[in-house]
Amino acid sequence: MGIPRADQWIVSGLLLGFLSLRMLALRTTPLLYFDSRDYLHLELWGGRRPFTVPLLFWLVPSDSLRVVEQAAISVFAWIALALVVAAGLEDRRVRLGSVVALLALGSTTQVTNWDTTILSDSIAISLTVLLVAAWIAVYRSPSRWSVAGVLAVTLLWTFTRELHVYVTALVALVVVGAVAVKRASALWWVTAASLLFVATLGFFESRANEETSKQNLAGVIGARILPNQDARAWFIDAGMPPMPQLADGRAHPDNELLAIPEFDRWANEGWPVYARYLVTHPTVAIDGPFRELLEERPAYSDKSAGKEVLLSPADAYGRARPVLPGPVEDVLFAPARTGALLTLAVGTLAAALVVHARLGRDPRRHVPIALVGGALLYVGLSWHGSVFEPGRHAMPAAVAIRIGLIALLGVVIDRIAVASAR
């Protein structure tokens, strides 16, 4: 498993402890919501939801067993990540510390509570964790097996949520560009071509059923565009129906817009118009999600916070028993609190810059840094892609950012420790 023989018993003990904590955290009573029925109906092509979650749910006969299934996938993903990260570290203390930190993050109630929900969230988070592990492995040592692993997980991850299709497309373009510039091996060209194929397949699948896409677009237009007279005028000039029956200067629900035949027809091609709006209004593209990234301490005059905290969503759709000490959980993943995350981010990035300046480049930093940047992009795409439950939709990115920072901090400390020992 890439761990030195002298540490394998210790790591095995840590994994056993993690498994025990996750079993104690698990509540097997499933929680169903309005959207749950969509995930219990399997259609491999053109369904209301992409096929990954319905397929996994189809494999087990009851909702209670689906809870166990989701918990098992989560446990496997976090163990795989911890082992892959640890295998790339040289100093024993840093290696074991990274395993503890990652397994502790995977034991927080912000992660474990989703296992009891019959929705896409638990599997989306787990496959994100597994995808990070797969990319670290393939970047460190590309082989037919590691490439096959990253492509298999990418396929499942892409068809977990509609948003993931666009993220996979961006990753594919980045890999194609990197492969072309560096004139990489044939194995990397196969990886790039396969990623493009998965993304293309995802686009065609999403076009086969646009009900969810149209509903999300109507929500975004009704809540964020129509209240702004300048934005509304821009969209009308770009071809959106004027809809004079809708009052100016206020929001309108998605069902009200979709009940207008002209808008319903326009919504079939409305997302490219919205994308063009963001490109031509970059401050809008950035400012919207940025205002909801971090927590703010409200003033006494504020009636209510009324604010999502996308880097640490407080959404709790499921149940889980806390298994970590409160202060530890607060540092790793406190609901709606981002102070510890900011401290970790600033300290880690500053240390990485100093180590780079004094000790030179370290390729092990590339995947964690790309992960943090990609997760922030994911948050922006999810915010612009829907007005419904933004915190819930940002959860995979919130988890990924913490993984990236922990992995990067491990690499930085490991580089210092190894340099000091020489």
Side-chain angles (χ1 to χ4, degrees), residues 21-93:
L21 290 177
R22 288 298 303 261
M23 291 176 64
L24 290 171
L26 183 63
R27 299 284 301 274
T28 56
T29 303
L31 292 172
L32 282 80
Y33 294 88
F34 178 79
D35 289 345
S36 297
R37 61 186 180 182
D38 294 338
Y39 298 103
L40 298 175
H41 180 64
L42 175 60
E43 288 185 61
L44 294 177
W45 190 265
R48 178 169 167 79
R49 303 293 180 181
F51 70 79
T52 296
V53 177
L55 176 62
L56 291 173
F57 284 170
W58 175 80
L59 294 175
V60 292
S62 70
D63 290 334
S64 295
L65 287 178
R66 290 179 184 115
V67 171
V68 176
E69 178 190 36
Q70 292 188 124
I73 294 171
S74 178
V75 167
F76 175 79
W78 284 99
I79 288 177
L81 176 68
L83 293 179
V84 168
V85 170
L89 300 172
E90 299 180 47
D91 185 85
R92 184 186 194 191
R93 296 160 297 178

Side-chain angles (χ1 to χ4, degrees), residues 8 32 123 147 154 201 204 224 243 352 373 390 422:
Q8 288 183 7
L32 282 80
I123 292 170
V147 167
T154 297
L201 194 66
F204 279 109
R224 296 176 182 155
M243 298 177 290
R422 289 174 181 170

